[in-house]
Amino acid sequence: MVIANSITALAYLSVCLTLLYLVRHTRRVIARDWAYFATGFALFIVACGSTHLMEVVTTWVPFFWIDASTNIITALLSAWVAVQLIRRVRTVGDSINDYAARLANKEQEQRQMQESLMAAQKLEEWSRLSAMVAHEVANPLDAIQNLLYLIRNDEAATPEINRWASAAEEEASRVITISRSTLDFFRKGTQPESVSLYEAAESVRSLLKSLLQKQQLNLDLIASGDTTVQALPGEPRQVLLNLMRNACEAIPERGRKVIVAFNGQLEGVEVLITDQGTGIPPTVLANLFSFGLTTKGVQGNGMGLWAVLQIMQRHGGSVEVIETSASGTTFRLWWPRKYASASK
């Protein structure tokens, strides 16, 4: 009996010391009421242990009045702890749940941080790759432009050949502009120029002619007011090409249409691009403009809408989805009149 009571007393004492240690080292996390309760519970535990210790003492020395006093103290502490536990059981439960929720949120934040780091790494790799591609593509395109220039100025060239050569030279120039504009996201200094968004959309429609014919789609351009803005060369066309092409590719059925409406206002131009597709899933919509996100499988690279967002923010404008459902999606562009406002 002496050995059993001694072991029990030491176990109670160790539990008490452990609770006091936890209270001391978790003061920044747990609530004050919970700390007081844990401290009281620790005292209750050591009081229970003291009764077993007195059993060892009274085995040889009959100090029963000391044993009785210890039992009274233990009873009082037990009653106090029981009452406090009943009073605070809801608060303690909510505190534990809140702490568990904070731990879960912390894990989610860590995952999001890891995803952001991976996206940043992909962006850095894309920056290096785009620089290499722009350099490698520009040289042969310059040579192609020179050959087309010679063809246009050849005395034997017919007017039809001259027209084809001029069109090919213009398209080669546009490819050079687009390849170089990918690097403009990371460097400044290009001077803005006056650009008609409606005329840029007209040129994009001509590029999408084969896609429109293949899917038997109508692409309607509607303009009201002045659609001229200040923008970096080639970038309005790149924005419209991405959004208009996506709108066409989002329509699975033939015979439908895409509407691009331009509304010239005092401070800028509002552009609404509406398709009759199947809409954007909510799971995709939340991160629609994130780098690397694509819904086109192996046919997409996840950089189109991200590039659109970068260009619009660089010009002080915005891009957003204002409506999406099973019957179609509408993107809204807001392009300020003056590029200078974006640099302030």
Side-chain angles (χ1 to χ4, degrees):
M1 188 179 70
V2 169
I3 293 174
N5 282 302
S6 299
I7 294 175
T8 304
L10 291 174
Y12 277 121
L13 179 62
S14 64
V15 172
C16 172
L17 295 176
T18 301
L19 286 174
L20 294 176
Y21 176 85
L22 289 176
V23 170
R24 180 179 180 183
H25 288 81
T26 57
R27 286 178 295 181
R28 298 180 180 179
V29 178
I30 63 176
R32 179 178 298 180
D33 289 344
W34 172 247
Y36 287 156
F37 171 76
T39 302
F41 189 73
L43 296 177
F44 160 71
I45 290 294
V46 77
C48 291
S50 65
T51 60
H52 289 274
L53 182 61
M54 289 305 302
E55 291 291 337
V56 176
V57 174
T58 56
T59 301
W60 290 283
V61 182
F63 290 153
F64 294 106
W65 64 272
I66 299 178
D67 189 14
S69 302
T70 303
N71 286 329
I72 293 173
I73 295 173
T74 302
L76 293 176
L77 284 175
S78 301
W80 179 83
V81 170
V83 171
Q84 296 302 318
L85 180 60
I86 294 172
R87 289 179 56 188
R88 290 174 170 80
V89 62
R90 185 184 297 274
T91 303
V92 170
D94 292 340
S95 299
I96 293 174
N97 290 332
D98 179 66
Y99 183 62
R102 280 187 290 168
L103 287 178
N105 291 334
K106 186 176 181 180
E107 293 177 356
Q108 184 177 1
E109 291 175 358
Q110 289 178 344
R111 287 195 299 269
Q112 292 177 349
M113 184 178 297
Q114 291 175 351
E115 292 175 357
S116 299
L117 291 174
M118 292 178 63
Q121 184 178 3
K122 291 174 64 178
L123 178 58
E124 183 180 357
E125 293 174 355
W126 163 246
S127 176
R128 292 195 296 265
L129 178 62
S130 61
M132 181 183 67
V133 171
H135 179 268
E136 295 298 328
V137 169
N139 291 333
L141 286 177
D142 286 337
I144 291 173
Q145 282 186 310
N146 293 333
L147 293 173
L148 291 171
Y149 175 80
L150 294 176
I151 292 174
R152 284 195 301 106
N153 291 275
D154 192 338
E155 295 179 355
T158 64
E160 187 176 10
I161 292 177
N162 286 334
R163 185 169 63 255
W164 290 346
S166 297
E169 186 176 3
E170 182 181 355
E171 293 305 318
S173 178
R174 288 172 180 173
V175 172
I176 292 176
T177 301
I178 292 175
S179 65
R180 290 175 178 171
S181 66
T182 56
L183 298 177
D184 290 338
F185 300 141
F186 311 101
R187 63 188 183 193
K188 306 292 183 179
T190 306
Q191 294 299 320
E193 61 182 22
S194 180
V195 178
S196 171
L197 296 181
Y198 181 81
E199 292 179 0
E202 284 278 11
S203 65
V204 169
R205 180 164 61 176
S206 65
L207 282 179
L208 297 176
K209 185 177 180 180
S210 60
L211 177 62
L212 296 173
Q213 291 176 347
K214 179 181 179 181
Q215 299 188 208
Q216 298 180 5
L217 300 176
N218 293 322
L219 179 56
D220 297 338
L221 303 181
I222 304 172
S224 63
D226 185 11
T227 64
T228 303
V229 297
Q230 287 185 348
L232 299 176
E235 295 198 341
R237 191 170 179 275
Q238 186 176 352
V239 169
L240 293 171
L241 176 61
N242 272 293
L243 294 178
M244 292 168 64
R245 182 181 57 208
N246 287 347
C248 293
E249 293 175 347
I251 301 177
E253 300 179 9
R254 298 185 177 185
R256 298 191 176 187
K257 63 181 179 179
V258 174
I259 301 175
V260 184
F262 299 86
N263 182 18
Q265 302 177 17
L266 180 62
E267 298 295 331
V269 179
E270 180 188 54
V271 185
L272 299 179
I273 302 174
T274 304
D275 64 64
Q276 295 180 338
T278 57
I280 303 173
T283 54
V284 177
L285 189 62
N287 301 306
L288 188 62
F289 297 95
S290 299
F291 181 83
L293 179 67
T294 179
T295 59
K296 300 178 182 179
V298 296
Q299 297 180 353
N301 55 25
M303 292 180 289
L305 290 178
W306 175 84
V308 168
L309 179 62
Q310 302 304 309
I311 293 175
M312 296 308 301
Q313 290 179 344
R314 182 169 178 175
H315 287 77
S318 62
V319 56
E320 59 181 336
V321 178
I322 62 174
E323 183 181 357
T324 183
S325 64
S327 58
T329 301
T330 299
F331 279 80
R332 178 184 181 271
L333 289 174
W334 171 253
W335 208 299
R337 292 282 182 193
K338 296 182 179 180
Y339 175 76
S341 62
S343 61
K344 293 181 180 180

